[in-house]
C-alpha cells in the first residue's frame, strides 16, 4: 500500500515519505496540510496529493483538518507506528533558541519596520521571514560566538537582517557588531536599510551589486562571518555561498549561516555537493528554524544551517548567466504520459497545469486517473496566430482546474461585503489582450462531467438559498475573520432579494438528493465610464468532496460558458487582501492583478477611533 500511494503521486521519497505522513497524522491529528508539511519536510502540494490518495483508500477522513480513520489507525498499528510520544522541546518548539523577554521590544519594532519596508518579489524567490525569525538569526550569531564584535557580510538582505542586528543592539544599549556590509541588487532594499539604520547606532554599509558577478575587489577577504538566504535552487545556493566565501577572511573556522527551503533527497544532495565543493563543512542544522510570511509550498518554513570554512575553502565561481531562480528553471513545458490511458498532457508555463503535482491531484483529463510518466521537454510554443476577431470573443480568464486540497471550501470575497471599488475600464484595446481560457471541446466537457459525477450543475433557485447562505457565511469568515458577516440566514435573505432581480449567473452543483454541494455566482455589469459590459466573478464555494476539484472546475466552466453566451469578453474578480489561498487560486486560474483597494480610518467626531 505504501508503494502504491508513493507511486501514485510519483513521490521521490518513496514509501518512507508515506510513512512519515501517516506518522505525523497519528501524532498531530487533527492536522492541516500545512502542519503535516512542516512535520515531514514535504512540500504542501505533495502532502495534499498524498492525503487525497490516502482518502481514496479510506485511511484518512474526508473532513478537514485531517484524521486517520479506524482503518488508517489499524494500518499505522500494523506498521508499528502506533506511538504518539513527542520529545520536541515545548519551549523552543525544536528551534533550539528562545527569544528572551528583553528582546520582545526588538520583535515589535522589526514587525513595524516590515510593514513599511519593501514588498517581497515572488518572481525572484523572495518571501520575507517573520520578525521573530530575524531576532532568532541574530541570537544564532551570538550563540555561535560570531557576535558581538567583528564584521558581518549579508549576501542579499531582503529579510532585513541588517536592521535586526541594529535594532537588537539598540534595544540592548550598544552595537553588537563593528560593521555590517549588505550586498544586494535592489536599490529599494538598500535605500530602506540606509534610511532606517542611520539612527540606530550600528555601522551599516550597503553595496548595490548583481551577485551573478564576483564581489567587488574591495569586499574580498574582509569579513569575519557571513549570512545568506539565497534562491531555493542548487544554482542559487552555489552562487550566493560562493560570494559569501569570497567576502570572508582566509583561513578555517569562519562561519557562514545559510537558510534554505526543504527539498527532495536528490535535490538536497545537489545542494550538499555544492557546499562540499566550496570546501565548507556543516557545523549545525535546525529544521523549521525560519518562518516566512508566504512560501506556502514549503509550509512557510525553512532550515537554518551553520557552515564553517576549512583550509580547503575557496570560490572558483566567476560570472554566472544560467538559471538562478525557481521560475528560471521552468521556462518550457514537459510532456507527461498518463500510465492508465496513454494521454499526453503538457505541464509547465502556459499549460492548463503548471505543475505535475496539480495534474496528479486533478487526474488525467481523458480518464480521470494516473499516475503520470515524465517525458521530454516540449518545443517552445510558436507565436499566437489566432485571428483578431476571434480573440475578441473569448473571456480573459482561465477556469479553475482544481480547488487546492489545502484551500478552504470558499473562494471569492462576498460581493455584499466588499469595500466599494471603482468600476474598471479596459487599459488596452481588445486586440492586445492575452486570452486565458477557451471553451472546452465536447470530448473534454464530457470527461469533466464524468469526473464530477454524481454531481451536476443547474441554475440556482429559491430552494437553494439556505445552502447558499451557509456557503456565503463561510466565504465571509475566510475573508474577514472576526469582522465577517457570518449569519447564514442573513446571507440567504440578501441572495433571495438578488434572485428576485435575476437568477442568471447563479449556478449550483448538486447530487442525487438535490442538496447543493457547490455554488458559483457570476453577474454581468456595465462600466459606467465606457459603457462596456463585463462579468463580475462574485463567489465560488465547494464543500469537501472526494472530487472537489472536478466539481469546482465544472462550476467555473459553467460560469464562463454563461459569460460567453452573453457576449462577455472580460471577467473581473475581487478578493480580500488577507485571503491568501484565494489570491493564489486567482493567480493559478490566470487572473492578472489590476487594482488595489485601500482603506483609511478617520477620527470620529469628538474622539478618536
Amino acid at each position: 500500500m505504501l508503494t502504491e500511494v508513493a507511486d501514485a503521486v510519483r513521490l521521490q521519497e518513496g514509501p518512507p515519505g508515506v510513512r512519515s505522513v501517516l506518522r505525523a497524522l497519528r501524532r498531530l491529528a487533527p492536522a492541516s496540510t500545512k502542519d503535516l508539511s512542516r512535520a515531514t519536510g514535504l512540500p504542501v502540494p505533495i502532502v495534499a496529493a498524498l492525503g487525497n490518495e490516502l482518502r481514496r483508500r479510506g485511511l484518512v477522513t474526508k473532513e478537514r483538518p485531517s484524521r486517520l480513520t479506524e482503518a488508517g489507525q489499524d494500518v499505522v498499528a500494523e506498521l508499528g507506528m502506533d506511538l504518539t510520544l513527542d520529545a520536541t522541546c515545548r519551549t523552543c518548539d525544536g528551534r533550539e533558541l528562545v527569544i528572551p523577554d528583553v528582546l520582545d521590544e526588538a520583535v515589535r519594532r522589526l514587525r513595524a519596520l516590515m510593514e513599511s519596508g519593501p514588498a517581497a518579489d515572488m518572481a525572484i524567490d523572495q518571501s520575507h521571514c517573520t520578525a521573530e525569525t530575524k531576532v532568532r538569526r541574530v541570537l544564532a550569531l551570538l550563540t555561535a560566538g560570531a557576535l558581538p564584535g567583528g564584521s558581518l557580510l549579508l549576501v542579499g538582505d531582503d529579510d532585513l537582517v541588517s536592521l535586526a542586528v541594529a535594532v537588537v543592539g539598540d534595544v540592548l544599549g550598544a552595537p553588537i557588531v563593528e560593521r555590517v556590509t549588505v550586498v544586494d541588487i535592489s536599490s529599494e532594499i538598500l535605500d530602506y536599510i540606509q534610511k532606517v539604520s542611520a539612527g540606530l547606532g550600528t555601522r551599516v554599509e550597503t553595496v548595490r551589486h548583481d551577485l551573478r558577478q564576483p564581489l567587488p575587489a574591495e569586499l574580498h577577504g574582509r569579513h569575519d562571518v557571513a549570512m545568506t538566504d539565497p534562491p531555493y535552487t542548487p544554482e542559487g545556493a552555489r552562487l550566493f555561498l560562493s560570494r559569501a566565501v569570497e567576502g570572508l577572511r582566509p583561513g578555517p573556522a569562519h562561519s557562514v549561516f545559510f537558510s534554505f527551503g526543504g527539498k527532495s533527497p536528490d535535490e538536497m544532495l545537489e545542494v550538499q555537493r555544492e557546499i562540499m565543493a566550496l570546501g565548507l563543512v556543516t557545523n549545525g542544522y535546525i529544521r523549521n528554524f525560519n518562518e516566512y510570511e508566504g512560501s506556502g509550498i514549503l509550509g512557510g518554513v525553512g532550515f537554518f544551517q551553520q557552515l564553517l570554512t576549512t583550509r580547503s575553502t575557496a570560490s572558483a565561481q566567476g560570472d554566472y548567466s544560467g538559471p538562478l531562480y525557481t521560475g528560471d528553471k521552468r521556462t518550457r513545458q514537459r510532456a507527461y504520459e498518463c500510465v492508465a490511458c496513454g494521454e499526453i498532457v503538457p505541464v509547465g508555463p502556459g499549460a492548463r497545469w503548471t505543475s505535475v503535482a496539480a495534474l496528479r491531484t486533478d487526474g488525467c483529463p481523458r480518464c480521470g486517473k494516473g499516475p503520470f510518466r515524465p517525458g521530454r521537454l516540449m518545443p517552445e510554443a510558436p507565436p499566437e496566430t489566432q485571428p483578431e476577431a476571434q480573440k475578441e470573443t473569448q473571456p480573459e480568464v482561465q477556469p479553475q482546474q482544481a480547488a487546492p486540497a489545502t484551500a478552504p471550501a470558499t473562494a471569492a470575497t462576498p460581493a455584499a461585503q466588499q469595500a466599494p471599488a471603482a468600476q474598471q475600464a479596459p487599459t488596452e484595446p481588445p486586440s492586445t489582450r492575452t486570452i486565458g481560457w477557451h471553451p472546452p471541446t465536447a470530448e473534454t466537457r464530457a470527461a469533466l462531467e464524468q469526473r464530477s459525477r454524481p454531481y451536476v450543475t443547474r441554475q440556482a433557485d429559491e430552494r437553494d438559498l439556505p445552502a447558499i447562505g451557509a456557503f456565503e457565511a463561510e466565504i465571509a469568515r475566510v475573508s474577514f475573520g472576526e469582522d465577517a458577516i457570518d449569519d447564514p440566514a442573513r446571507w440567504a435573505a440578501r441572495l433571495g432579494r438578488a434572485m428576485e432581480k435575476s437568477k442568471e449567473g447563479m449556478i449550483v452543483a448538486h447530487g442525487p438528493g438535490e442538496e447543493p454541494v457547490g455554488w458559483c455566482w457570476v453577474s454581468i455589469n456595465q462600466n459606467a465610464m465606457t459603457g462596456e459590459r463585463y462579468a463580475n466573478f462574485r463567489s465560488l464555494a465547494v464543500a469537501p468532496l472526494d472530487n472537489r476539484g472536478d466539481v469546482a472546475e465544472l462550476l467555473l466552466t459553467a460560469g464562463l460558458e454563461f459569460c460567453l453566451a452573453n457576449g462577455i469578453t472580460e471577467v473581473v474578480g475581487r478578493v480580500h487582501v488577507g485571503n491568501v489561498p484565494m489570491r493564489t487560486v486567482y493567480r493559478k486560474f490566470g487572473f492578472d492583478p489590476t487594482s488595489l483597494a485601500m482603506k483609511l480610518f478617520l477620527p470620529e467626531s469628538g474622539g478618536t477611533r
Side-chain angles (χ1 to χ4, degrees):
M1 182 276 294
L2 295 173
T3 301
E4 288 177 356
V5 173
D7 289 346
V9 299
R10 309 285 288 189
L11 182 65
Q12 293 187 24
E13 289 78 2
V18 185
R19 278 179 176 268
S20 69
V21 171
L22 289 170
R23 187 183 297 111
L25 269 169
R26 177 69 179 88
R27 179 169 61 88
L28 300 175
S32 68
T33 304
K34 183 177 181 179
D35 291 336
L36 295 174
S37 173
R38 291 188 172 197
T40 61
L42 296 172
V44 166
I46 296 298
V47 174
L50 286 171
N52 289 337
E53 288 297 323
L54 294 171
R55 284 187 185 88
R56 293 189 183 101
R57 290 163 173 79
L59 304 180
V60 175
T61 59
K62 296 179 181 178
E63 297 77 20
R64 293 173 174 82
S66 301
R67 298 176 183 267
L68 293 170
T69 62
E70 186 173 341
Q73 293 173 8
D74 292 341
V75 167
V76 167
E78 185 177 347
L79 291 169
M81 300 189 301
D82 193 18
L83 181 65
T84 58
L85 182 64
D86 184 4
T88 303
C89 175
R90 297 182 181 179
T91 302
C92 71
D93 200 20
R95 298 188 184 98
E96 300 185 14
L97 294 173
V98 178
I99 299 174
D101 293 344
V102 69
L103 293 183
D104 286 347
E105 180 187 346
V107 173
R108 290 192 295 271
R109 288 171 60 177
L110 287 168
R111 198 174 287 138
L113 290 175
M114 290 175 65
E115 290 179 359
S116 58
D121 186 348
M122 304 297 286
I124 55 174
D125 292 359
Q126 289 183 358
S127 185
H128 293 163
C129 70
T130 63
E132 291 81 0
T133 297
K134 299 181 200 306
V135 174
R136 281 198 299 269
R137 289 183 183 178
V138 177
L139 290 172
L141 291 166
L142 293 166
T143 303
L147 299 181
S151 54
L152 168 64
L153 171 65
L154 294 171
V155 182
D157 194 26
D158 62 284
D159 281 325
L160 304 180
V161 174
S162 56
L163 295 183
V165 172
V167 168
V168 168
D170 192 54
V171 170
L172 296 179
I176 59 175
V177 65
E178 293 178 5
R179 173 173 44 95
V180 178
T181 302
V182 180
V183 183
D184 203 291
I185 196 172
S186 170
S187 297
E188 184 181 14
I189 289 173
L190 297 177
D191 290 346
Y192 187 72
I193 290 172
Q194 280 287 358
K195 174 184 175 182
V196 175
S197 65
L200 294 176
T202 294
R203 179 184 171 191
V204 179
E205 300 175 351
T206 56
V207 179
R208 186 176 185 277
H209 180 72
D210 186 345
L211 291 166
R212 293 176 185 267
Q213 282 82 47
L215 290 184
E218 60 270 21
L219 297 182
H220 279 234
R222 291 186 54 197
H223 302 87
D224 300 297
V225 60
M227 181 179 288
T228 188
D229 189 346
Y232 290 169
T233 61
E235 295 85 354
R238 178 181 67 243
L239 183 64
F240 279 53
L241 286 173
S242 69
R243 303 310 181 210
V245 167
E246 291 171 7
L248 287 175
R249 301 186 191 280
H254 293 292
S255 293
V256 179
F257 292 89
F258 171 53
S259 295
F260 208 70
K263 299 288 185 179
S264 71
D266 287 343
E267 291 172 310
M268 284 310 302
L269 177 61
E270 289 188 59
V271 175
Q272 293 301 316
R273 283 173 174 160
E274 301 295 353
I275 290 173
M276 294 190 66
L278 287 166
L280 299 170
V281 62
T282 297
N283 190 56
Y285 181 98
I286 307 174
R287 278 193 63 219
N288 297 346
F289 181 92
N290 297 307
E291 287 189 288
Y292 296 93
E293 296 182 344
S295 191
I297 289 179
L298 301 177
V301 293
F303 67 74
F304 188 73
Q305 190 169 5
Q306 183 190 10
L307 306 172
L308 294 178
T309 59
T310 65
R311 287 190 175 89
S312 302
T313 299
S315 171
Q317 179 69 60
D319 291 351
Y320 181 77
S321 59
L324 181 59
Y325 303 105
T326 305
D328 294 342
K329 304 187 73 175
R330 293 197 301 262
T331 58
R332 293 172 61 185
Q333 298 176 8
R334 183 179 294 275
Y336 282 80
E337 179 185 3
C338 175
V339 174
C341 71
E343 176 79 354
I344 301 299
V345 185
V347 174
R352 177 178 177 181
W353 290 276
T354 57
S355 70
V356 70
L359 174 60
R360 289 169 187 149
T361 301
D362 288 3
C364 173
R366 173 185 288 178
C367 69
K369 300 177 182 178
F372 301 90
R373 184 182 298 115
R376 296 182 177 182
L377 287 172
M378 302 185 71
E380 297 288 349
E384 184 177 303
T385 57
Q386 191 177 17
E388 297 297 323
Q390 185 177 351
K391 289 182 182 180
E392 295 181 15
T393 62
Q394 309 292 351
E396 294 185 293
V397 59
Q398 287 182 327
Q400 181 165 357
Q401 310 301 346
T406 56
T410 57
T413 303
Q417 195 165 343
Q418 293 171 357
Q423 292 178 325
Q424 300 172 346
T427 58
E428 52 187 6
S431 60
T432 65
R433 295 173 177 173
T434 300
I435 306 304
W437 181 81
H438 298 278
T441 63
E443 181 181 4
T444 303
R445 190 68 156 82
L448 175 59
E449 292 172 352
Q450 177 67 30
R451 298 197 307 273
S452 302
R453 289 184 178 178
Y455 307 107
V456 295
T457 59
R458 61 169 169 79
Q459 186 177 80
D461 55 36
E462 287 75 8
R463 59 183 159 163
D464 303 313
L465 286 173
I468 293 174
F471 281 134
E472 291 292 321
E474 181 61 23
I475 293 175
R477 281 189 287 270
V478 171
S479 297
F480 297 98
E482 295 180 356
D483 298 326
I485 300 172
D486 59 355
D487 180 2
R490 188 172 176 182
W491 280 108
R494 288 187 177 185
L495 290 164
R497 292 192 291 271
M499 270 188 186
E500 291 176 0
K501 298 178 180 178
S502 174
K503 297 178 183 177
E504 286 193 337
M506 293 184 170
I507 306 165
V508 294
H510 66 91
E514 292 295 319
E515 179 71 19
V517 298
W519 150 251
C520 176
W521 185 13
V522 183
S523 66
I524 296 177
N525 299 341
Q526 188 172 30
N527 189 303
M529 296 290 292
T530 66
E532 293 186 8
R533 298 163 70 242
Y534 67 95
N536 186 12
F537 174 43
R538 306 179 73 140
S539 296
L540 172 70
V542 181
L545 306 168
D546 286 340
N547 56 345
R548 181 185 184 194
D550 297 317
V551 175
E553 182 179 346
L554 188 67
L555 279 166
L556 257 293
T557 301
L560 294 173
E561 288 173 341
F562 163 75
C563 294
L564 280 180
N566 286 272
I568 299 298
T569 62
E570 181 178 349
V571 181
V572 175
R574 295 184 178 89
V575 61
H576 189 271
V577 67
N579 191 349
V580 176
M582 187 55 199
R583 285 161 52 196
T584 303
V585 169
Y586 267 138
R587 287 195 299 270
K588 177 181 178 182
F589 302 157
F591 282 85
D592 291 324
T594 57
S595 66
L596 174 67
M598 303 180 71
K599 184 183 294 186
L600 172 69
F601 289 109
L602 298 176
E604 293 180 349
S605 177
T608 60
R609 183 178 180 180

